[in-house]
Amino acid sequence: PPPVGFGILERLEAGDVVIGDGGFVFALEKRGYVKAGPWTPEAAAEHPEAVRQLHREFLRAGSNVMQTFTFYASDDKLENRGNVLQFTGQQINEAACDLAREVAGEGDALVAGGVSQTPSYLSCKSEDEVKAVFKKQMDVFVKKNVDFLIAEYFEHVEEAEWAVHVLKMSGKPVATSLCIGPDGDLNGVSPGDCAVRLVKAGAQIVGVNCHFDPMTCVKTVKLMKEGVERAGLKAHYMVQPLAYHTPDCNRQGFIDLPEFPFALEPRVVTRWDVQKYAREAYNAGIRYIGGCCGFEPYHIRAVAEELAPERGFLPAASEKHGMWGSGLDMHTKPWVRARARRDYWEKLKPASGRPLCPSISTPDSWGVTKGHADLMQQKEATSEEQLKQLFKKAEAND
């Protein structure tokens, strides 16, 4: 492991692999602590024991970064569409910082404070108004002295640039992660051009997270890296994909899939898929490798196990896991013992057990983004009339 006290940039400049964590919002929704729809992180203040435990599981699995559970914790998102909470944005952000720091201190992990895209931007608020939202979160991160900052989950590079401008004021390292695929952001800006703009804005680490499967995300970061190198610039690269197969996604990513968010389980990647992804990312020159929605601790352990030869050690969670299924040699059934080998798991084509289901879906493809009336946000709850209109539009699109 790197010497204690090494920050994110020192680790990456030394060529070390930095393993991120997984998808807190989806994991905690499944455990009953996050509400699908708003996807806000009030659990950091409401149920700190749940957030703390998930941090611990990712740390044990090999994560080097404890991201504060602050996804969608901006005031405008916390109050969007009738969401009523008992805690303020500041209380949630502070609680999340304390939990991440507590668990990071139990191992060799850094704390990253995170901001994400805002309803204010979607609703066409001014640059100053959007930046004020980011600054409010950043002030908490500075007060709590996180190790570095991440602007993640941005569909539009312009908003991500604004976030970087604000986060740079902290004097801390800044990573920026867009939720885009190979086709670029929702305005059609290519991955390479997005990356160049983010590096010029001041981000030292650039990449993608969420919205697409692991191999698609690696492909996208490769395009970003090519763009940065063509421009004669330098950066470190990160990737934190979905743990779902998304070959049928369009530019909008998995939120356009009809299975989003409650029927994605048949698409979950296996630990062996994740090992292939980790190797592919490493070979592409990406050194910050983690996961987003759907990534559970066992997926992160797979990243750590695949890259153990380069890193020189295994995570604590590997005490309970035989490499490439080798622990199955202890199974009572001989046909299961016969699966205790790498070539079995590498060649397996898993069945879904759903004979009447298709292998891919047709994305919704409404094709709306910032500036469209359907994406104007509001503090009031979505009305019955608004829902009726959406149901009608959905039926027309079927």
Side-chain angles (χ1 to χ4, degrees):
V4 174
F6 259 38
I8 185 67
L9 295 180
E10 289 84 357
R11 295 179 189 217
L12 293 171
E13 280 157 15
D16 293 338
V17 173
V18 173
I19 297 180
D21 56 11
F24 269 64
V25 171
F26 267 45
L28 289 167
E29 190 277 331
K30 289 181 175 69
R31 290 157 168 79
Y33 297 103
V34 164
K35 187 173 187 177
W39 303 109
T40 47
E42 59 274 12
E46 277 180 352
H47 297 286
E49 71 290 349
V51 178
R52 182 186 293 111
Q53 176 63 21
L54 191 53
H55 275 307
R56 281 195 176 128
E57 290 178 21
F58 281 119
L59 182 73
R60 178 174 166 78
S63 294
N64 301 123
V65 177
M66 299 291 105
Q67 275 188 240
T68 57
F69 185 41
T70 52
F71 177 78
Y72 275 170
S74 59
D75 283 345
D76 60 343
K77 186 68 175 80
L78 293 170
E79 298 168 357
N80 198 45
R81 294 199 173 274
N83 200 27
V84 179
L85 301 176
Q86 298 171 310
F87 297 92
T88 65
Q90 179 161 343
Q91 287 173 317
I92 293 166
N93 282 286
E94 287 188 355
C97 288
D98 290 342
L99 290 166
R101 178 62 71 192
E102 177 191 343
V103 178
E106 296 171 7
D108 174 43
L110 301 169
V111 175
V115 302
S116 35
Q117 67 182 11
T118 63
S120 293
Y121 182 82
L122 275 185
S123 298
C124 302
K125 297 278 181 73
S126 71
E127 180 176 347
D128 286 346
E129 288 173 297
V130 174
K131 283 183 170 179
V133 173
F134 295 136
K135 185 171 187 310
K136 203 165 180 183
Q137 273 192 282
M138 183 195 72
D139 287 344
V140 175
F141 299 144
V142 170
K143 175 184 167 187
K144 292 293 185 178
N145 197 27
V146 300
D147 298 306
F148 69 103
L149 298 166
I150 301 179
E152 70 170 1
Y153 196 79
F154 286 86
E155 296 170 306
H156 304 87
V157 68
E158 179 183 59
E159 187 183 13
E161 286 177 291
W162 294 354
V164 174
H165 292 153
V166 173
L167 298 184
K168 287 298 289 180
M169 292 162 52
S170 69
K172 295 180 181 292
V174 174
T176 315
S177 194
L178 305 177
C179 49
I180 66 171
D183 291 337
D185 84 346
L186 292 192
N187 288 329
V189 182
S190 72
D193 289 346
C194 283
V196 167
R197 286 173 60 169
L198 295 172
V199 173
K200 285 183 174 176
Q204 293 115 319
I205 307 163
V206 295
V208 298
N209 77 294
C210 208
H211 274 207
F212 296 91
D213 63 44
M215 292 310 192
T216 303
C217 285
V218 171
K219 180 181 176 183
T220 307
V221 180
K222 280 183 181 176
L223 294 171
M224 296 176 96
K225 189 169 182 280
E226 288 167 11
V228 170
E229 289 169 356
R230 253 196 322 270
L233 301 170
K234 284 189 176 177
H236 298 290
Y237 300 93
M238 69 186 297
V239 61
Q240 301 207 94
L242 296 175
Y244 304 108
H245 292 288
T246 62
D248 38 356
C249 275
N250 56 23
R251 186 192 299 267
Q252 179 69 75
F254 84 140
I255 57 174
D256 258 17
L257 292 176
E259 299 92 349
F260 175 88
F262 298 129
L264 289 163
E265 284 82 356
R267 295 174 176 267
V268 173
V269 299
T270 68
R271 64 194 70 196
W272 317 119
D273 293 328
V274 171
Q275 292 212 200
K276 287 180 191 169
Y277 145 67
R279 182 54 56 194
E280 188 80 7
Y282 186 86
N283 289 344
I286 303 166
R287 291 295 177 268
Y288 188 141
I289 303 170
C292 200
C293 298
F295 259 75
E296 292 280 346
Y298 75 96
H299 289 118
I300 292 298
R301 179 178 61 190
V303 174
E305 289 186 346
E306 176 62 30
L307 299 176
E310 286 77 14
R311 302 176 80 222
F313 61 98
L314 287 165
S318 292
E319 295 165 10
K320 300 293 184 183
H321 187 241
M323 293 287 277
W324 289 101
S326 61
L328 297 180
D329 64 4
M330 303 168 75
H331 203 278
T332 55
K333 303 292 190 287
W335 59 90
V336 178
R337 290 200 297 275
R339 298 172 191 162
R341 54 198 163 95
R342 177 172 181 160
D343 66 330
Y344 175 85
W345 295 109
E346 274 193 317
K347 292 174 182 171
L348 183 71
K349 290 187 173 14
S352 70
R354 296 172 181 270
L356 302 181
C357 290
S359 59
I360 58 172
S361 300
T362 304
D364 280 344
S365 301
W366 282 25
V368 300
T369 188
K370 183 204 174 192
H372 192 283
D374 285 353
L375 279 180
M376 298 303 283
Q377 303 301 309
Q378 62 190 51
K379 271 195 181 184
E380 304 75 35
T382 306
S383 68
E384 287 293 325
E385 184 53 38
Q386 286 173 321
L387 281 174
K388 274 182 194 169
Q389 293 300 319
L390 290 175
F391 297 156
K392 199 179 289 183
K393 186 169 181 179
E395 283 169 14
N397 282 346
D398 282 346

